[in-house]
Amino acid sequence: MRLEDRITRRRRRGGKRRRLVRDLSALDPTAHPREPTGRGPTLERILDHLDPVFDGELPPDAHVHGPKGVGKSAVVAALFEHLASALPARRSVIHTATRTAATPTTSFAYVDARDAPTEFALLHAALETLSKEPVPSQGVGVGALRERLTARVAHDEHAVVAVDHVGEPETVSAATAVETLSSVSPHVSVLTVGRDPRSDATEAGDDDDVTDVTDAASIAVSAYERHSLVDILVARASDGVARNALPHEADAR
């Protein structure tokens, strides 16, 4: 038998061997799943707050807060990614027999404050996400970025910007992030995400007329219950490990 045939035979045999791990990312505790697990109620509360965008209106500012590791970033990042692809980001014009009306549209941007610790970096990151055109990082100042962002968000083009990891030692505070972005245009809404609640925030549902730039609705995310953690671990193990690799008794433990 030729050497090539011997190698081919062994390769085919190796391809039929059972693999214990099917998806390593599902077992990685540092990897965020595309679909957050066990956070349905939190997701619904954030969607309830963002509900006005489905009617072409801009929601008020809000602040999502909770302890480290409760899935705040995973939920907000995944939600904004889906909303950005599901809703039109550019103005759409409705033609009727009597008039032409511009239907307000809403764009979504997710910004990590750890990568944008200054006013310039925050404006640049938001504008870069909202705009399809490249945004220069040199040779422009804060004023130029503000003008570009103001032009990007017009009366019929709204924007909701999520700023994650606010209030950390080397990131901007939630109030600073809101003031920086909201002062650019009244058609920008800011959703901040951090570990600590804002002292000037009100619980979501307590005040339906929150309009001041320093106010924000508060959306608290509680720590996982033990049974929820067990369900998450079992679900991730099922996704990452090959079928029947572990007996049911092992999953239950």
Side-chain angles (χ1 to χ4, degrees), residues 15 17 57 68 77 86 95-96 140 151 213 236:
R17 292 175 181 171
E57 300 178 1
K68 180 181 179 180
H95 298 279
T96 66
V140 294
V213 71
R236 297 191 72 163

Side-chain angles (χ1 to χ4, degrees), residues 76-88:
V76 173
L79 177 58
F80 270 60
E81 180 182 356
H82 281 75
L83 287 173
S85 59
L87 298 179

Side-chain angles (χ1 to χ4, degrees), residues 47-117:
L47 278 173
D48 286 343
H49 175 78
L50 298 175
D51 195 62
V53 303
F54 297 98
D55 296 323
E57 300 178 1
L58 195 65
D61 300 325
H63 180 63
V64 179
H65 63 92
K68 180 181 179 180
V70 297
K72 305 182 300 295
S73 297
V75 170
V76 173
L79 177 58
F80 270 60
E81 180 182 356
H82 281 75
L83 287 173
S85 59
L87 298 179
R90 293 292 179 181
R91 82 178 69 180
S92 58
V93 180
I94 300 176
H95 298 279
T96 66
T98 57
R99 63 186 179 92
T100 300
T103 302
T105 60
T106 304
S107 300
F108 294 87
Y110 173 85
V111 176
D112 192 338
R114 293 173 178 174
D115 299 326

Side-chain angles (χ1 to χ4, degrees), residues 49 60-66 72 161 163 165-168 172-182 188-204 206 210-221:
H49 175 78
D61 300 325
H63 180 63
V64 179
H65 63 92
K72 305 182 300 295
V161 182
V163 185
H165 300 119
V166 297
E168 297 184 0
V172 297
S173 65
T176 299
V178 172
E179 185 176 0
T180 299
L181 295 171
S182 297
V188 175
S189 174
V190 184
L191 178 75
T192 51
V193 184
R195 298 176 188 175
D196 300 321
R198 286 183 57 179
S199 58
D200 56 352
T202 57
E203 284 297 325
D206 290 350
V210 177
T211 57
D212 191 84
V213 71
T214 61
D215 292 332
S218 178
I219 302 176
V221 183

Side-chain angles (χ1 to χ4, degrees), residues 19-63:
R19 298 177 58 187
L20 177 63
V21 178
R22 181 173 55 186
D23 183 5
L24 186 59
S25 64
L27 303 178
D28 185 356
T30 64
H32 282 177
R34 291 185 60 85
E35 292 289 342
T37 306
R39 282 304 179 196
T42 299
L43 187 60
E44 286 296 327
R45 290 187 66 192
I46 299 176
L47 278 173
D48 286 343
H49 175 78
L50 298 175
D51 195 62
V53 303
F54 297 98
D55 296 323
E57 300 178 1
L58 195 65
D61 300 325
H63 180 63

Side-chain angles (χ1 to χ4, degrees), residues 38-39 42 65-72 220-229 232:
R39 282 304 179 196
T42 299
H65 63 92
K68 180 181 179 180
V70 297
K72 305 182 300 295
V221 183
S222 59
Y224 282 106
E225 298 289 342
R226 183 180 180 85
H227 64 85
S228 299
L229 287 174
I232 292 172

